[in-house]
Amino acid sequence: MIYNFEDLKEIVKSKVSIKRFNHIMAVVDMSIKLAKIYNADIEKCKIAALLHDICKEMNKEEMKKICKNNFSEDLTDEDLENDEILHPFVGAYWVEKNLKIEDIEILNAIKNHTLGNKNMTLVEKIVYIADAVEITRNYPGVEEIRNLVFKDLNEGILFEAGKKEKYLESIGKKSHKNSYAMQKSIREEIKKKN
Ligand SMILES: [Fe+2]
Ligand SMILES: [Fe+2]
C-alpha cells in the first residue's frame, strides 16, 4: 500500500482536538493488537483506524449535505440530525475525495465503524470493535466486552451490539438498521462455521 502512516497522522492531528487524537491513536493500537490476534492485514487496519474519526468535528450542516447527497440509501431523515451517525459516512467520503484513499476495505471500515453493516470483512470488524473497546474507554461493562473480543471477535461484536441495543431500548430508541444487518450477518457466519 502506498499510504504513508506518518503523513496521514499529521493530517488527522490538524483536524481534531487533542482528546480526540488520543482516542484515535488508542484505536490504532487496539486495531494492531486485534489484527495480530486474528491474522488481519495490519497496514489496512492501521490506516482505517487512523482515519476513522477524521471528520468527527466537521460542521454539522456540511456533514448533513454530504450525507444527503451521497448516502440517502443508508440514512433516514432522523439519522441526518445525528452527527454521531453521520461522521463515519462523511469520513469515508472525505478521505476518498481529499486523501485519494481508494482501498474499498479501508473506506468501508471508516464508513461502518459506528453502525456496522452486513458482510463486514475482518478489517471492518476490527476497526468497528477497536473503536468501542480501545484502552481509554471506561463505560460500564467495557472490560467484559474487551476480554471477549480478544477470545472471539464475532462473539465480542455481537455482545457489544446487544449491549448497545439494550441501552438504546432503555431510552426508548431502536438500533439502526445497519446494526441489525451486521448482527444478522455475523450470526449467519457463525452458523456456517459450526
Ligand atoms: Fe467515530
Ligand atoms: Fe472513534
Side-chain angles (χ1 to χ4, degrees):
M1 238 180 323
I2 45 157
Y3 312 123
N4 182 300
F5 185 84
E6 290 308 317
D7 291 348
L8 292 175
K9 196 168 151 182
E10 289 310 310
I11 297 171
V12 172
K13 208 174 190 174
S14 73
K15 289 186 66 73
V16 296
S17 68
I18 185 70
K19 189 169 177 249
R20 177 105 44 220
F21 184 71
N22 290 338
H23 155 70
I24 289 170
M25 294 317 293
V27 178
V28 170
D29 288 344
M30 183 58 75
S31 294
I32 294 172
K33 193 169 178 166
L34 292 172
K36 285 180 182 163
I37 296 175
Y38 294 106
N39 276 322
D41 185 323
I42 294 177
E43 283 310 304
K44 280 197 194 194
C45 287
K46 263 175 80 174
I47 300 288
L50 177 66
L51 298 175
H52 85 281
D53 272 345
I54 192 166
C55 289
K56 183 112 188 198
E57 292 165 22
M58 189 189 262
N59 169 286
K60 201 174 170 181
E61 286 310 309
E62 208 178 324
M63 287 209 260
K64 249 173 105 168
K65 209 168 101 189
I66 292 172
C67 285
K68 241 185 183 163
N69 292 335
N70 299 280
F71 302 105
S72 55
E73 253 181 51
D74 286 279
L75 302 169
T76 64
D77 285 351
E78 198 189 332
D79 294 334
L80 289 175
E81 299 306 320
N82 185 346
D83 31 340
E84 184 57 34
I85 285 182
L86 302 189
H87 79 274
F89 292 90
V90 176
Y93 173 88
W94 194 90
V95 302
E96 188 177 10
K97 274 254 167 328
N98 297 284
L99 305 180
K100 311 291 172 223
I101 304 279
E102 289 169 349
D103 187 288
I104 191 70
E105 204 176 8
I106 293 177
L107 294 174
N108 282 338
I110 298 169
K111 186 171 80 120
N112 295 321
H113 84 261
T114 300
L115 299 175
N117 210 340
K118 62 180 181 227
N119 304 327
M120 292 207 294
T121 65
L122 192 50
V123 172
E124 291 179 69
K125 286 178 185 174
I126 283 175
V127 175
Y128 170 91
I129 202 66
D131 185 37
V133 303
E134 54 92 341
I135 212 69
T136 73
R137 296 281 200 206
N138 59 5
Y139 55 85
V142 65
E143 197 71 33
E144 206 183 347
I145 304 171
R146 198 180 284 133
N147 288 336
L148 186 53
V149 166
F150 289 144
K151 275 188 253 161
D152 187 317
L153 187 65
N154 280 336
E155 293 295 348
I157 291 173
L158 287 179
F159 186 61
E160 186 270 348
K163 262 185 171 294
K164 216 192 263 170
E165 200 176 312
K166 269 194 206 122
Y167 165 73
L168 286 171
E169 270 169 21
S170 78
I171 57 165
K173 290 185 173 172
K174 273 183 89 179
S175 289
H176 192 273
K177 70 177 171 66
N178 289 21
S179 174
Y180 288 120
M182 170 183 76
Q183 294 175 65
K184 186 170 173 257
S185 104
I186 290 180
R187 278 195 206 99
E188 283 165 5
E189 216 184 291
I190 293 171
K191 235 189 235 166
K192 255 186 228 160
K193 270 189 205 151
N194 292 333

